[in-house]
Amino acid sequence: MSGGGIELVVIGADGGPERGHAGSARAAQGAAELARTLPGRTFDAGTRGCQVSHLPADADANTMLTALRRASQRPARWLVVCLLGQLVADPRGRRIALVTAGSTPDNAYRRGLAWDWVTSAMVHGDQEETLLLVDAVADKDTWAALEREDGAGELLTHSRVPLWGRVGRYVGGRRGREAVLPGGEGSFSWALGRVLEHGVQGAAAAVGPQELQAAVEAQLTWGEMAGGAATARLLVPGEGGRLLMRNRAAVRGALAGLSLSEELLAVLWRESAPTDPPSA
């Protein structure tokens, strides 16, 4: 039976020195920021109610999967998984994996953290609800596989694992130096961090992905303009269960710098939501 709180698993995989995997160069930076930011922003759990599993950037796929499975087996209200890095498709273009350290072009998919391993662990976990945050890029061939609805593209929708994030097309070489990289400026994790830090004016004290999406997209648009407007696919969860996060714009002044108790947050929620609040 699920308990309260949140299991947060943060994976930012650095593909290493291989030039073709340079799209993951800043994934560790973004993962560290999410591991620092998200626990203090979750509305119904807060820092004390959030258990964080932050994996080293050079961990192998087995280590990542083991940590994810262990987190999924611990009772909690939510299982939130963050995947940052570069995606690679299998030779048939029907499956994708997160590139892990030490991979070469020939073995990247076999060595990587398979996407369906992640979603399977989340579906079979001991939590009531799940959310998969994605900040990733894909090279030309992998992007083509993701564009095919009868191929790997179908993995970017899941009936039981809501996805929230951005997958961008990565072009290596000289042009890649100006690309929006996962974890870097203009990326989804960067944009989400900025929105959570500043809040959303006019929104309730507790907000979910759909209330935050417009503000996140505004940040992403700025990043794409600065980085050359790279092709990207945005992922937005539907109307189902929502992870509620604290809106700092609703608690201005002295309160904005305080570590708020659950009791005070509940008061702020009631004052800002005249109708029945959504389920967390």
Side-chain angles (χ1 to χ4, degrees), residues 13-26 86 88 99-109 111 137 139 170-173 181:
D14 187 338
E18 171 63 44
R19 292 182 61 184
H21 301 156
S24 63
R26 299 179 185 172
Q86 185 166 337
V88 62
V99 176
T100 55
S103 299
T104 68
D106 293 333
N107 66 15
Y109 177 77
R111 290 179 59 103
V137 292
D139 63 17
Y170 175 69
V171 179
L181 301 182

Side-chain angles (χ1 to χ4, degrees), residues 66-152:
T66 297
L68 173 55
R69 286 176 172 168
R70 286 176 178 171
S72 71
Q73 293 167 2
R74 292 191 287 264
R77 174 76 169 86
W78 278 89
L79 173 61
V80 179
V81 178
C82 306
L83 290 184
L84 295 89
Q86 185 166 337
L87 300 176
V88 62
D90 74 318
R92 296 194 302 164
R94 299 190 59 84
R95 295 289 180 265
I96 52 176
L98 191 69
V99 176
T100 55
S103 299
T104 68
D106 293 333
N107 66 15
Y109 177 77
R110 295 194 306 274
R111 290 179 59 103
L113 177 65
W115 183 279
D116 51 333
W117 294 354
V118 174
T119 54
S120 178
M122 296 178 72
V123 166
H124 295 96
D126 196 19
Q127 289 79 31
E128 297 177 29
E129 306 213 43
T130 62
L131 180 64
L132 178 56
L133 297 179
V134 182
D135 188 0
V137 292
D139 63 17
K140 178 181 177 181
D141 293 339
T142 303
W143 183 260
L146 291 173
E147 288 285 272
R148 289 175 23 223
E149 294 298 331
D150 62 340

